[in-house]
Amino acid sequence: YFLSPKTTLGVIIPARLSQEHSANPTTSSLTGKTGELDSTILANNASRYTFKNGSINLNYTHQYDSLGKNLSFDASYLRYNNLSDENFHNTTYDADGTTGSFQNIIANRPTNVSIYAIKSDYALPLVHKLKLSAGAKASSVNTDNEANYFNVNGPDTTVNLDNTDHFIYRENIQAGYISLNKDLKRFSWQIGFRGEHTDVSGHQLGNLRSKDSAFVQHYFNLFPTAYFSYKIDC
């Protein structure tokens, strides 16, 4: 939407809702050293995936003049919800066809991700074809991953502690940059730097077989940049 000839306001709202189903029966033959059949494994696996993803973006741009002075602003929120339901049926047969063992495992694996981001950029033309650019950005990512596995034995269902897992991750970044560049007919250069402060935390939830574990990190990085270029004739 054009608020004025020099000011634009925009909204973007993409979304996705879908489901996928798959069945993957597989037969594997195991042989001995001399090539004789030892056993056969029949794996009859099926999966169902559900994806619910959506986001919203608000953006604003203002052109102060025709020389390139402008200000832009963006704010975004993204949400991902993915769910996986799986069934694993594995049957082992001896060489004579006798059933050796049977394994039935079901899995439920939800993933939830939330992303927040906000940024602003400013460009200011200076004298002698110099251009100053500056900006700032803040973002936050929250991820929750679960992997729930269960052993099925007739009517009884028990938690499969070897494969069950739950991990929570958080990441926050605050960043800013400033740069100065100049473009001539053949020669151009740019110098500047970007700084980022990051806060990260992770939590691995335990169960009856494994203990909780967690970590927290805080760090700052500075990235200087400089480049020069010259256009030659082809």
Side-chain angles (χ1 to χ4, degrees):
Y1 180 74
F2 292 92
L3 298 174
S4 71
K6 295 183 178 181
T7 306
T8 306
L9 180 66
V11 179
I12 305 172
I13 308 177
R16 176 193 178 192
L17 174 61
S18 65
Q19 286 188 339
E20 297 179 6
H21 302 267
S22 64
N24 304 295
T26 303
T27 301
S28 303
S29 298
L30 306 180
T31 59
K33 293 181 179 180
T34 59
E36 77 280 5
L37 180 65
D38 178 79
S39 59
T40 302
I41 301 176
L42 176 61
N44 190 7
N45 303 326
S47 304
R48 182 181 64 184
Y49 304 96
T50 303
F51 303 93
K52 298 179 181 179
N53 306 332
S55 64
I56 182 171
N57 170 267
L58 303 177
N59 55 83
Y60 169 89
T61 303
H62 180 72
Q63 299 285 344
Y64 290 91
D65 51 38
S66 59
L67 300 177
K69 181 181 179 182
N70 65 80
L71 174 68
S72 64
F73 174 84
D74 279 89
S76 300
Y77 170 70
L78 300 88
R79 179 74 176 180
Y80 299 92
N81 299 103
N82 302 330
L83 176 62
S84 172
D85 291 308
E86 299 169 303
N87 291 279
F88 305 97
H89 301 272
N90 301 310
T91 306
T92 302
Y93 298 93
D94 296 334
D96 59 0
T98 304
T99 301
S101 63
F102 177 76
Q103 183 185 54
N104 186 7
I105 298 177
I106 60 175
N108 175 268
R109 299 190 293 115
T111 298
N112 298 297
V113 182
S114 298
I115 302 175
Y116 305 84
I118 184 171
K119 70 171 184 173
S120 182
D121 297 278
Y122 180 69
L124 177 65
L126 303 175
V127 296
H128 305 302
K129 296 184 178 181
L130 290 169
K131 183 180 179 181
L132 179 68
S133 301
K137 180 179 180 179
S139 64
S140 176
V141 179
N142 301 315
T143 303
D144 192 332
N145 287 310
E146 290 187 64
N148 303 307
Y149 287 83
F150 303 91
N151 298 318
V152 180
N153 185 11
D156 300 324
T157 301
T158 58
V159 178
N160 186 315
L161 297 176
D162 292 328
N163 296 313
T164 294
D165 190 31
H166 190 181
F167 182 66
I168 300 173
Y169 177 78
R170 303 284 185 266
E171 179 184 89
N172 297 303
I173 300 177
Q174 301 84 40
Y177 78 92
I178 186 170
S179 65
L180 183 68
N181 69 73
K182 184 174 183 178
D183 291 320
L184 301 174
K185 291 182 178 181
R186 292 179 177 268
F187 180 74
S188 65
W189 58 265
Q190 176 175 310
I191 58 174
F193 63 88
R194 184 179 81 254
E196 291 185 357
H197 180 267
T198 304
D199 297 306
V200 177
S201 65
H203 185 192
Q204 185 81 46
L205 278 72
N207 54 41
L208 296 176
R209 187 161 296 175
S210 60
K211 297 181 179 179
D212 271 24
S213 63
F215 69 89
V216 177
Q217 293 182 348
H218 309 282
Y219 55 89
F220 177 80
N221 289 322
L222 188 63
F223 306 95
T225 59
Y227 76 80
F228 304 88
S229 64
Y230 182 80
K231 297 178 183 179
I232 61 176
D233 294 332
C234 298

